[in-house]
Amino acid sequence: MLRKKDLIGLKDTSPEEIEEILDTADEMRKIVDSKRKDSELLRGKTLISLFYENSTRTRTSFALAAEYLGANEINMGVATSSVQKGETLKDTGLTLNAMNIDFIAIRHQMAGAPALLAKNVSASVINGGDGMNEHPTQALLDFLTLRRHFGTLSGLKVAILGDIKHSRVAKSNLYGLRKFGSEVSMYCPGTLMPMEIEKMGAKVAKSREEALDGADAVMGLRIQLERQSGGLFPSLSEYSSFYGMKDVLLKYAKPGAIILHPGPVNRGVELTPSLIDGDESFILEQVTNGVAVRMALLKLLDEFRQSR
Ligand code: CP
């Protein structure tokens, strides 16, 4: 059983806990594939989606995860809520918690916001992405995709190309994959590479070819124009030419290497359209696995709260 009320990040999640989430997600994936939404597992439970930033995949898959398990999902709609009148995150959390809800999935532009919320509510808080810190459910769905394809999370090499500095996905993947002894190599313009990333366990490559050398999976990351103050690279077309993932570069990865991307993707910038849509692409498989992972988390966090 998961021994925590909340899922805030993978930095503080053990390999055993990650395995348990993935084992449960494998079971949940069967429900998703069956398309049956008649489970009673979380009947009467309520999930609040509290997204201070835009989302397609994460918010929708939390809603679907709740629906598959018989729970209700309410999207709080931050843009039309009293947050716009100056209500603090703590007060929003206390207010929702007083309505006896069970889960809050939160995305916030500030690193640490989910942890702050979790300290103030009895509901289970799940981090759907906080600033440049972590996006644990994205990394878990990446791990489920890798494990279902390669049969293991150990001894893999994952190459990550893209905007690593602003990426919470890169950090959660790095924290998690290193716990299983997998190698994470990274390549991007120096201005987009965080200073401390090697201390966190990443191998910083000097070229795309070096990053890809022997990789089992190549993960493209979106250039996050909205988080940049400007001037971190000359132009999108130059980024694509010198740092983007091209079909011809696949030969440096292992035969059978797969392409991953958390989405949304800037087509033709971090990945070519032919890689996004090609046979090596597992991008839509990641999306389906995202529903299963969020179902698993709702189930396991609920079990923990029931056990207390
Ligand atoms: N991968 C991801 O977080 O996508 P969304 O921003 O669409 O939720």
Side-chain angles (χ1 to χ4, degrees), residues 51 54-59 107 128 135 138 169 262-264 294:
F51 276 53
N54 295 340
S55 167
T56 300
R57 282 147 281 269
T58 311
R59 203 196 78 67
R107 172 171 289 184
H135 192 345
Q138 176 66 44
V169 176
R294 286 154 186 140

